[in-house]
Amino acid sequence: MLEKSSNEFIQELASKAPVPGGGGASAYVGALGMALGSMVGNLTVGKKKYKEVEEDIIELLQKSEAVINNLKSLVSKDAEVFYPLSQAYRMPSSTEEEKKKKDEVLQAALVDATMVPLDIARNCLEAIYLHEEYAKKGTRIAISDVGVGVIFCKAALQGAKLNVLINTKIMKDTELKNKVENELAEIERVGLAKADQIFEEVENMLKS
Amino acid sequence: MLEKSSNEFIQELASKAPVPGGGGASAYVGALGMALGSMVGNLTVGKKKYKEVEEDIIELLQKSEAVINNLKSLVSKDAEVFYPLSQAYRMPSSTEEEKKKKDEVLQAALVDATMVPLDIARNCLEAIYLHEEYAKKGTRIAISDVGVGVIFCKAALQGAKLNVLINTKIMKDTELKNKVENELAEIERVGLAKADQIFEEVENMLKS
């Protein structure tokens, strides 16, 4: 899906085609945010002024690349898990037996459809932590890009959250539902506050 | 720039190449957000259940397309205004005369470099208003996508804001600086609160 042009991605997102949807778009925006962090890292490496943090930045760049790759593959995974779910919704439900069968298939498909956006949220949290390091150690010349990057990752986390909730809402396995929603709440609690804090720090640097 | 693949866009964003940077990426994320609004509109049109709002939705879709096109062209414009600015920074400043010349060129380039992200912020505000309408009138089946779309537009607005501030920070034309910063503050005041309100409404619908 990401091999097509950016223009086509926008066009397909806007269309009524089922994929890409909000989940895949969240993974993509998370990858764009992390890429801005990497840009700051790449602008820092090799600069005499930042020699002392060079090794840290190289390590950060490797971690950032891993997060970008995860999020890119989650764009595809989100599309993959949507199909079985949409098929399940279309199963007949006239008789009791049909209803039972449909419910079984639907509930199984829901598990995968929930885990993908949860994984997107996890990667966005990691991306936010990496931006915290770029804000501390990255070149001051690109400090605004740390702010833009982290606010994209925050939005991507929030987008992923809604895509978890649309699935857990109808999940009958209450143990799994609670486990997922608790993890998500914790990711949100930590991630949103951290992202806001980094954004505010950047904004204050630009204003002073 | 948007004719290249999405993968390439991520890669070039992550590189130390000067463009695309945080400003262009903000315009792009705004376009992705608005595209999600359009998706909701396209899923609503032609549905018997939403016959009553069909004309409104068609009008919303036209407005959304205009915003997407504006934001797409702002991705390119942001790259175009960066070059003269980067050239101005590289001008010599050893003598008083050189300093004076450099300052003139730099201040002129700053005006264009400021207006582009300001225009991105304006379009993101419009996108947030359009999401408000999609939240009211769009198909309930895709309500989560309204939430994801609006939170992307909010992040894009915030990203554009930082890119205005890096330029107004060193702008010597205080009249223009104040005018721009006042407009931006107003866009931010209205836009962020509105986006949060729509996101919260969507979230509450998903939780209930």
Side-chain angles (χ1 to χ4, degrees), chain A residues 14 28 42 161 169 203 208, chain B residues 14 28 42 161 169 203 208:
Chain A
Y28 185 37
N42 281 317
K161 172 190 158 182
K169 186 182 163 73
E203 198 182 339
S208 63
Chain B
Y28 185 37
N42 282 316
K161 172 189 157 184
K169 187 180 163 75
E203 197 182 340
S208 64

Side-chain angles (χ1 to χ4, degrees), chain B residues 33 127-128 131 145-155 194-195 198-199:
Chain B
I128 291 167
H131 276 84
D145 296 301
V146 177
V148 182
V150 84
I151 214 71
F152 286 1
C153 295
K154 179 191 170 193
K194 176 81 52 192
I198 299 165
F199 185 84

Side-chain angles (χ1 to χ4, degrees), chain A residues 101-117:
Chain A
K101 183 68 196 157
K102 179 177 180 170
D103 195 47
E104 277 171 22
V105 175
L106 181 64
Q107 290 297 323
L110 265 182
V111 176
D112 289 339
T114 302
M115 289 310 170
V116 171

